[in-house]
Amino acid sequence: QVQLVESGGGLVQTGGSLRLSCAASVSTFSIAAIGWYCQAPGKERELVAIITASSSTEYADSVKGRFTISRDNAKNTIYLQMNSLKPEDTAIYYCNGGTYYNVLKGDLYSWGQGTQVTVSS
């Protein structure tokens, strides 16, 4: 079973930046797709960004131009660079992987602890 562990969250001011890390127990190229998701209090989990084993990427409209998903294969890590943060970005952020379809739909069988991102006004 592949393990994915999120880190890098924190408290930042509006307009600030964070880089979230998703550390995998295997090469991220061995996973068809990995997504970053966010879940705000009282809301459904939403896909923020996805990267495939072929390094194609997609983003939610709300984060296009502000967030970048990338990988460091040497560290088995997927990153989410978050710039120009807004209060509405406040959420717990999770990473997870599977088939492209399952990542796109969030149909994944287990989730980790996530990492909290809080953006102050």
Side-chain angles (χ1 to χ4, degrees), residues 6 20 35-49 62-63 67 80 82 87-96 106 110-118:
E6 305 95 340
L20 307 185
W36 278 101
Y37 304 79
C38 66
Q39 187 167 30
K43 295 187 177 182
E44 298 291 326
R45 184 184 294 113
E46 299 179 351
L47 180 65
V48 173
S62 61
V63 307
F67 292 7
L80 185 68
M82 310 166 70
E88 50 263 46
D89 296 320
T90 295
I92 301 174
Y93 285 75
Y94 303 87
C95 63
N96 216 328
S110 68
W111 299 85
Q113 298 281 355
T115 186
Q116 176 71 49
V117 171
T118 303

Short mmCIF file of all heavy atoms in Angstrom, two decimals, residues 6 20 35-49 62-63 67 80 82 87-96 106 110-118:
data_model
loop_
_atom_site.label_atom_id
_atom_site.label_comp_id
_atom_site.label_asym_id
_atom_site.label_seq_id
_atom_site.Cartn_x
_atom_site.Cartn_y
_atom_site.Cartn_z
N GLU A 6 1.04 14.45 3.91
CA GLU A 6 1.00 15.87 3.62
C GLU A 6 1.73 16.67 4.70
O GLU A 6 1.69 16.32 5.88
CB GLU A 6 -0.45 16.38 3.55
CG GLU A 6 -1.34 15.63 2.57
CD GLU A 6 -2.14 14.51 3.22
OE1 GLU A 6 -1.74 14.04 4.32
OE2 GLU A 6 -3.15 14.10 2.63
N LEU A 20 3.07 23.26 -0.13
CA LEU A 20 2.67 22.01 0.50
C LEU A 20 3.44 20.86 -0.13
O LEU A 20 3.73 20.87 -1.32
CB LEU A 20 1.18 21.77 0.33
CG LEU A 20 0.24 22.90 0.77
CD1 LEU A 20 -1.21 22.44 0.65
CD2 LEU A 20 0.55 23.34 2.19
N GLY A 35 -3.53 13.88 -6.82
CA GLY A 35 -4.24 15.13 -6.71
C GLY A 35 -4.07 15.77 -5.35
O GLY A 35 -3.85 15.09 -4.35
N TRP A 36 -4.15 17.08 -5.35
CA TRP A 36 -4.30 17.85 -4.13
C TRP A 36 -5.76 18.26 -4.02
O TRP A 36 -6.35 18.71 -5.01
CB TRP A 36 -3.42 19.10 -4.14
CG TRP A 36 -1.99 18.87 -3.75
CD1 TRP A 36 -0.92 18.76 -4.57
CD2 TRP A 36 -1.49 18.74 -2.42
NE1 TRP A 36 0.23 18.57 -3.85
CE2 TRP A 36 -0.09 18.56 -2.51
CE3 TRP A 36 -2.08 18.76 -1.15
CZ2 TRP A 36 0.72 18.39 -1.39
CZ3 TRP A 36 -1.28 18.59 -0.04
CH2 TRP A 36 0.11 18.42 -0.17
N TYR A 37 -6.30 18.12 -2.83
CA TYR A 37 -7.69 18.44 -2.55
C TYR A 37 -7.76 19.40 -1.38
O TYR A 37 -6.86 19.43 -0.54
CB TYR A 37 -8.49 17.19 -2.19
CG TYR A 37 -8.44 16.10 -3.23
CD1 TYR A 37 -7.35 15.26 -3.33
CD2 TYR A 37 -9.51 15.91 -4.10
CE1 TYR A 37 -7.31 14.24 -4.27
CE2 TYR A 37 -9.48 14.90 -5.05
CZ TYR A 37 -8.38 14.07 -5.13
OH TYR A 37 -8.35 13.07 -6.06
N CYS A 38 -8.83 20.14 -1.30
CA CYS A 38 -9.06 20.96 -0.12
C CYS A 38 -10.45 20.69 0.42
O CYS A 38 -11.36 20.34 -0.33
CB CYS A 38 -8.89 22.46 -0.43
SG CYS A 38 -10.12 23.16 -1.54
N GLN A 39 -10.58 20.84 1.72
CA GLN A 39 -11.88 20.71 2.36
C GLN A 39 -12.00 21.79 3.42
O GLN A 39 -11.30 21.76 4.43
CB GLN A 39 -12.07 19.33 2.97
CG GLN A 39 -13.48 19.12 3.50
CD GLN A 39 -13.78 17.68 3.81
OE1 GLN A 39 -12.88 16.90 4.17
NE2 GLN A 39 -15.02 17.29 3.68
N ALA A 40 -12.90 22.72 3.17
CA ALA A 40 -13.19 23.77 4.14
C ALA A 40 -14.28 23.29 5.08
O ALA A 40 -15.06 22.40 4.74
CB ALA A 40 -13.62 25.04 3.42
N PRO A 41 -14.37 23.89 6.27
CA PRO A 41 -15.41 23.47 7.22
C PRO A 41 -16.80 23.54 6.61
O PRO A 41 -17.18 24.54 6.01
CB PRO A 41 -15.25 24.48 8.36
CG PRO A 41 -13.82 24.90 8.30
CD PRO A 41 -13.50 24.94 6.83
N GLY A 42 -17.55 22.46 6.77
CA GLY A 42 -18.91 22.42 6.28
C GLY A 42 -19.06 22.25 4.79
O GLY A 42 -20.19 22.32 4.28
N LYS A 43 -17.96 22.03 4.08
CA LYS A 43 -18.03 21.91 2.63
C LYS A 43 -17.48 20.57 2.17
O LYS A 43 -16.77 19.88 2.91
CB LYS A 43 -17.25 23.05 1.96
CG LYS A 43 -17.85 24.42 2.21
CD LYS A 43 -17.15 25.48 1.38
CE LYS A 43 -17.80 26.83 1.58
NZ LYS A 43 -17.15 27.87 0.75
N GLU A 44 -17.83 20.21 0.95
CA GLU A 44 -17.32 18.98 0.36
C GLU A 44 -15.85 19.13 0.00
O GLU A 44 -15.36 20.22 -0.27
CB GLU A 44 -18.12 18.64 -0.89
CG GLU A 44 -19.60 18.38 -0.65
CD GLU A 44 -19.85 17.11 0.11
OE1 GLU A 44 -19.08 16.14 -0.08
OE2 GLU A 44 -20.80 17.08 0.91
N ARG A 45 -15.16 18.00 -0.01
CA ARG A 45 -13.79 18.00 -0.48
C ARG A 45 -13.76 18.30 -1.97
O ARG A 45 -14.58 17.79 -2.74
CB ARG A 45 -13.16 16.63 -0.20
CG ARG A 45 -11.69 16.55 -0.57
CD ARG A 45 -11.15 15.14 -0.35
NE ARG A 45 -11.14 14.77 1.05
CZ ARG A 45 -11.90 13.82 1.59
NH1 ARG A 45 -12.75 13.14 0.83
NH2 ARG A 45 -11.82 13.56 2.89
N GLU A 46 -12.85 19.15 -2.39
CA GLU A 46 -12.75 19.57 -3.77
C GLU A 46 -11.35 19.31 -4.31
O GLU A 46 -10.36 19.52 -3.61
CB GLU A 46 -13.06 21.06 -3.91
CG GLU A 46 -14.45 21.45 -3.49
CD GLU A 46 -14.71 22.93 -3.64
OE1 GLU A 46 -13.75 23.69 -3.92
OE2 GLU A 46 -15.86 23.34 -3.48
N LEU A 47 -11.29 18.89 -5.55
CA LEU A 47 -10.00 18.72 -6.21
C LEU A 47 -9.44 20.09 -6.57
O LEU A 47 -10.12 20.90 -7.20
CB LEU A 47 -10.17 17.87 -7.47
CG LEU A 47 -8.91 17.60 -8.28
CD1 LEU A 47 -7.91 16.76 -7.49
CD2 LEU A 47 -9.26 16.90 -9.59
N VAL A 48 -8.20 20.32 -6.19
CA VAL A 48 -7.52 21.58 -6.46
C VAL A 48 -6.62 21.47 -7.68
O VAL A 48 -6.61 22.35 -8.55
CB VAL A 48 -6.70 22.02 -5.24
CG1 VAL A 48 -5.86 23.24 -5.55
CG2 VAL A 48 -7.63 22.29 -4.06
N ALA A 49 -5.85 20.40 -7.75
CA ALA A 49 -4.90 20.21 -8.83
C ALA A 49 -4.58 18.74 -8.97
O ALA A 49 -4.66 17.99 -8.00
CB ALA A 49 -3.62 21.01 -8.58
N SER A 62 -10.65 28.03 -9.62
CA SER A 62 -10.44 28.96 -8.53
C SER A 62 -8.97 29.18 -8.20
O SER A 62 -8.63 30.16 -7.54
CB SER A 62 -11.17 28.48 -7.28
OG SER A 62 -10.70 27.22 -6.87
N VAL A 63 -8.09 28.28 -8.65
CA VAL A 63 -6.68 28.40 -8.30
C VAL A 63 -5.78 28.60 -9.51
O VAL A 63 -4.56 28.79 -9.35
CB VAL A 63 -6.18 27.20 -7.48
CG1 VAL A 63 -7.07 26.98 -6.27
CG2 VAL A 63 -6.10 25.94 -8.34
N PHE A 67 -1.80 28.65 -8.13
CA PHE A 67 -1.22 27.42 -7.58
C PHE A 67 -0.52 26.65 -8.69
O PHE A 67 -0.94 26.66 -9.85
CB PHE A 67 -2.30 26.51 -7.00
CG PHE A 67 -2.97 27.02 -5.75
CD1 PHE A 67 -2.75 28.30 -5.26
CD2 PHE A 67 -3.86 26.20 -5.07
CE1 PHE A 67 -3.38 28.76 -4.12
CE2 PHE A 67 -4.50 26.63 -3.92
CZ PHE A 67 -4.26 27.91 -3.45
N LEU A 80 2.59 21.40 -3.93
CA LEU A 80 1.60 22.38 -4.34
C LEU A 80 2.10 23.74 -3.90
O LEU A 80 2.08 24.06 -2.71
CB LEU A 80 0.22 22.09 -3.74
CG LEU A 80 -0.90 23.01 -4.24
CD1 LEU A 80 -1.20 22.74 -5.72
CD2 LEU A 80 -2.17 22.82 -3.41
N MET A 82 1.52 27.45 -3.53
CA MET A 82 0.32 28.26 -3.38
C MET A 82 0.75 29.71 -3.23
O MET A 82 1.38 30.08 -2.23
CB MET A 82 -0.48 27.81 -2.16
CG MET A 82 -0.74 26.31 -2.12
SD MET A 82 -1.34 25.73 -0.51
CE MET A 82 -2.98 26.45 -0.50
N PRO A 87 -8.32 34.39 1.77
CA PRO A 87 -9.01 33.76 2.90
C PRO A 87 -9.85 32.56 2.49
O PRO A 87 -9.94 31.59 3.26
CB PRO A 87 -9.86 34.89 3.47
CG PRO A 87 -9.09 36.12 3.15
CD PRO A 87 -8.49 35.86 1.80
N GLU A 88 -10.44 32.59 1.32
CA GLU A 88 -11.25 31.48 0.87
C GLU A 88 -10.45 30.22 0.53
O GLU A 88 -11.03 29.16 0.29
CB GLU A 88 -12.13 31.88 -0.33
CG GLU A 88 -11.37 32.55 -1.45
CD GLU A 88 -11.47 34.07 -1.39
OE1 GLU A 88 -11.30 34.65 -0.30
OE2 GLU A 88 -11.73 34.69 -2.45
N ASP A 89 -9.13 30.33 0.52
CA ASP A 89 -8.28 29.15 0.37
C ASP A 89 -8.13 28.39 1.68
O ASP A 89 -7.57 27.29 1.69
CB ASP A 89 -6.89 29.54 -0.12
CG ASP A 89 -6.90 30.15 -1.51
OD1 ASP A 89 -7.66 29.66 -2.38
OD2 ASP A 89 -6.14 31.11 -1.74
N THR A 90 -8.60 28.96 2.77
CA THR A 90 -8.49 28.32 4.07
C THR A 90 -9.21 26.98 4.05
O THR A 90 -10.39 26.90 3.74
CB THR A 90 -9.06 29.22 5.17
OG1 THR A 90 -8.27 30.40 5.26
CG2 THR A 90 -9.07 28.51 6.51
N ALA A 91 -8.48 25.92 4.39
CA ALA A 91 -9.03 24.57 4.32
C ALA A 91 -7.97 23.60 4.80
O ALA A 91 -6.80 23.96 4.99
CB ALA A 91 -9.43 24.22 2.89
N ILE A 92 -8.39 22.36 4.98
CA ILE A 92 -7.43 21.28 5.13
C ILE A 92 -7.12 20.76 3.73
O ILE A 92 -8.03 20.52 2.93
CB ILE A 92 -7.97 20.14 6.01
CG1 ILE A 92 -8.31 20.67 7.40
CG2 ILE A 92 -6.96 19.02 6.11
CD1 ILE A 92 -8.99 19.65 8.29
N TYR A 93 -5.85 20.60 3.44
CA TYR A 93 -5.41 20.13 2.14
C TYR A 93 -4.90 18.70 2.24
O TYR A 93 -4.12 18.36 3.14
CB TYR A 93 -4.33 21.05 1.58
CG TYR A 93 -4.90 22.35 1.07
CD1 TYR A 93 -5.32 23.33 1.96
CD2 TYR A 93 -5.05 22.58 -0.30
CE1 TYR A 93 -5.87 24.51 1.50
CE2 TYR A 93 -5.60 23.76 -0.75
CZ TYR A 93 -6.02 24.72 0.14
OH TYR A 93 -6.57 25.89 -0.32
N TYR A 94 -5.36 17.87 1.32
CA TYR A 94 -5.01 16.47 1.28
C TYR A 94 -4.39 16.13 -0.08
O TYR A 94 -4.74 16.73 -1.09
CB TYR A 94 -6.24 15.58 1.43
CG TYR A 94 -7.06 15.80 2.68
CD1 TYR A 94 -8.06 16.75 2.73
CD2 TYR A 94 -6.84 15.02 3.81
CE1 TYR A 94 -8.82 16.94 3.86
CE2 TYR A 94 -7.59 15.20 4.95
CZ TYR A 94 -8.59 16.16 4.97
OH TYR A 94 -9.34 16.33 6.10
N CYS A 95 -3.52 15.15 -0.09
CA CYS A 95 -3.10 14.57 -1.35
C CYS A 95 -3.52 13.11 -1.38
O CYS A 95 -3.66 12.46 -0.35
CB CYS A 95 -1.59 14.71 -1.59
SG CYS A 95 -0.53 13.86 -0.41
N ASN A 96 -3.76 12.63 -2.58
CA ASN A 96 -4.13 11.24 -2.74
C ASN A 96 -3.87 10.84 -4.19
O ASN A 96 -3.78 11.70 -5.07
CB ASN A 96 -5.60 11.01 -2.38
CG ASN A 96 -5.82 9.67 -1.71
OD1 ASN A 96 -5.12 8.69 -1.99
ND2 ASN A 96 -6.81 9.61 -0.82
N GLY A 106 -12.32 12.11 -7.05
CA GLY A 106 -12.13 11.99 -5.61
C GLY A 106 -12.59 10.66 -5.05
O GLY A 106 -12.85 10.54 -3.85
N SER A 110 -8.99 5.83 0.91
CA SER A 110 -8.49 6.27 2.20
C SER A 110 -7.85 7.64 2.07
O SER A 110 -7.33 8.01 1.02
CB SER A 110 -7.50 5.27 2.80
OG SER A 110 -6.30 5.23 2.05
N TRP A 111 -7.91 8.37 3.18
CA TRP A 111 -7.36 9.73 3.24
C TRP A 111 -6.52 9.87 4.49
O TRP A 111 -6.81 9.29 5.53
CB TRP A 111 -8.50 10.76 3.25
CG TRP A 111 -9.34 10.70 2.03
CD1 TRP A 111 -10.41 9.88 1.79
CD2 TRP A 111 -9.17 11.47 0.83
NE1 TRP A 111 -10.91 10.10 0.53
CE2 TRP A 111 -10.17 11.07 -0.07
CE3 TRP A 111 -8.27 12.46 0.46
CZ2 TRP A 111 -10.29 11.64 -1.34
CZ3 TRP A 111 -8.39 13.03 -0.80
CH2 TRP A 111 -9.40 12.62 -1.68
N GLY A 112 -5.47 10.68 4.37
CA GLY A 112 -4.60 10.93 5.50
C GLY A 112 -5.10 12.06 6.38
O GLY A 112 -6.27 12.44 6.34
N GLN A 113 -4.18 12.59 7.18
CA GLN A 113 -4.54 13.65 8.11
C GLN A 113 -4.72 15.00 7.43
O GLN A 113 -5.44 15.85 7.93
CB GLN A 113 -3.46 13.78 9.18
CG GLN A 113 -3.26 12.55 10.04
CD GLN A 113 -4.31 12.41 11.12
OE1 GLN A 113 -5.16 13.29 11.31
NE2 GLN A 113 -4.25 11.31 11.84
N GLY A 114 -4.07 15.19 6.29
CA GLY A 114 -4.09 16.47 5.64
C GLY A 114 -3.20 17.48 6.35
O GLY A 114 -2.59 17.18 7.38
N THR A 115 -3.12 18.66 5.79
CA THR A 115 -2.36 19.74 6.40
C THR A 115 -3.20 21.02 6.34
O THR A 115 -3.80 21.33 5.31
CB THR A 115 -0.98 19.90 5.73
OG1 THR A 115 -0.20 20.86 6.44
CG2 THR A 115 -1.10 20.32 4.26
N GLN A 116 -3.27 21.72 7.45
CA GLN A 116 -4.15 22.88 7.57
C GLN A 116 -3.50 24.11 6.96
O GLN A 116 -2.35 24.45 7.28
CB GLN A 116 -4.47 23.15 9.04
CG GLN A 116 -5.31 24.40 9.28
CD GLN A 116 -6.73 24.24 8.82
OE1 GLN A 116 -7.39 23.24 9.14
NE2 GLN A 116 -7.23 25.22 8.06
N VAL A 117 -4.25 24.77 6.10
CA VAL A 117 -3.86 26.07 5.56
C VAL A 117 -4.86 27.09 6.04
O VAL A 117 -6.07 26.94 5.83
CB VAL A 117 -3.81 26.05 4.02
CG1 VAL A 117 -3.62 27.47 3.47
CG2 VAL A 117 -2.71 25.13 3.54
N THR A 118 -4.38 28.13 6.69
CA THR A 118 -5.24 29.21 7.16
C THR A 118 -4.71 30.52 6.62
O THR A 118 -3.53 30.85 6.80
CB THR A 118 -5.28 29.25 8.69
OG1 THR A 118 -5.72 27.99 9.20
CG2 THR A 118 -6.23 30.34 9.17
#
